[in-house]
Amino acid sequence: MSIIYLALGTNLGDRPANLRTAIGALPPEAKVVTESKIYETPPWGVENQPAFLNMAVKCETSLEPEPLLRHLKQLEAQLGRRQSYRWGPRLIDLDILFYDDLVLASEALTIPHPHLHERAFVLVPLADIAPDFVHPVLGKTVEELLANVDTNEIRPYK
């Protein structure tokens, strides 16, 4: 089994329910081991949209990276996600952050997620569950990466 870290985000509909439904739908392909707290975060990329709820989960999986990605994209569609514009509003977003300490760059997938070190909305919840995980490309822990981003607008959700 491989250890993976996923980011979950939502800013449409019943946001807490969207996250819970997505977590409940992950197994058996991705068995959730640990969940972060939920955080309310401002939109990133396109600011004229509702605030997001974001969290991270640590999972075990027997799927290889690209089949895992296909599974997550199918799950997003089953949960009601519709394609829109880049960084636009979404019912659910599931991203692979890390897959063990794998470094992968294919046409379909890049692992580690290529922008995770720039995004407080990813690093804050990830630091809840994996502060000492070392980014296999950057050679820094999640906690060290988090120290280099602005977290002022990230708030625990209820």
Side-chain angles (χ1 to χ4, degrees):
M1 295 294 269
S2 292
I3 298 295
I4 60 170
Y5 293 91
L6 305 176
L8 292 82
T10 176
N11 74 335
L12 296 175
D14 184 341
R15 299 173 307 160
N18 295 344
L19 295 173
R20 290 283 147 234
T21 301
I23 289 170
L26 286 169
E29 287 82 356
K31 181 184 172 212
V32 177
V33 175
T34 309
E35 299 177 18
S36 74
K37 293 180 245 171
I38 298 172
Y39 294 89
E40 189 159 42
T41 65
W44 191 92
V46 175
E47 295 179 6
N48 188 20
Q49 59 179 316
F52 277 80
L53 291 186
N54 291 97
M55 66 182 301
V57 294
K58 176 183 180 179
C59 301
E60 294 177 343
T61 188
S62 60
L63 292 178
E64 293 296 317
E66 290 192 15
L68 174 63
L69 175 66
R70 285 193 295 276
H71 171 68
L72 295 176
K73 293 307 165 194
Q74 289 171 349
L75 184 55
E76 286 177 345
Q78 290 169 5
L79 295 176
R81 180 169 178 181
R82 302 292 171 252
Q83 291 300 322
S84 69
Y85 52 91
R86 185 176 176 101
W87 300 315
R90 60 205 58 191
L91 193 67
I92 193 68
D93 188 33
L94 304 169
D95 288 324
I96 302 169
L97 301 175
F98 295 116
Y99 185 106
D100 291 328
D101 60 355
L102 178 70
V103 176
L104 172 73
S106 73
E107 201 171 296
L109 180 61
T110 302
I111 297 175
H113 189 286
H115 301 289
L116 76 87
H117 63 285
E118 304 166 345
R119 298 176 175 172
F121 67 87
V122 171
L123 291 169
V124 169
L126 187 57
D128 281 353
I129 60 173
D132 298 324
F133 187 89
V134 177
H135 191 295
V137 174
L138 302 176
K140 294 183 178 181
T141 66
V142 168
E143 196 167 61
E144 289 170 327
L145 296 172
L146 179 58
N148 292 314
V149 296
D150 180 2
T151 61
N152 287 328
E153 295 186 61
I154 309 292
R155 302 277 180 261
Y157 183 73
K158 299 180 182 175

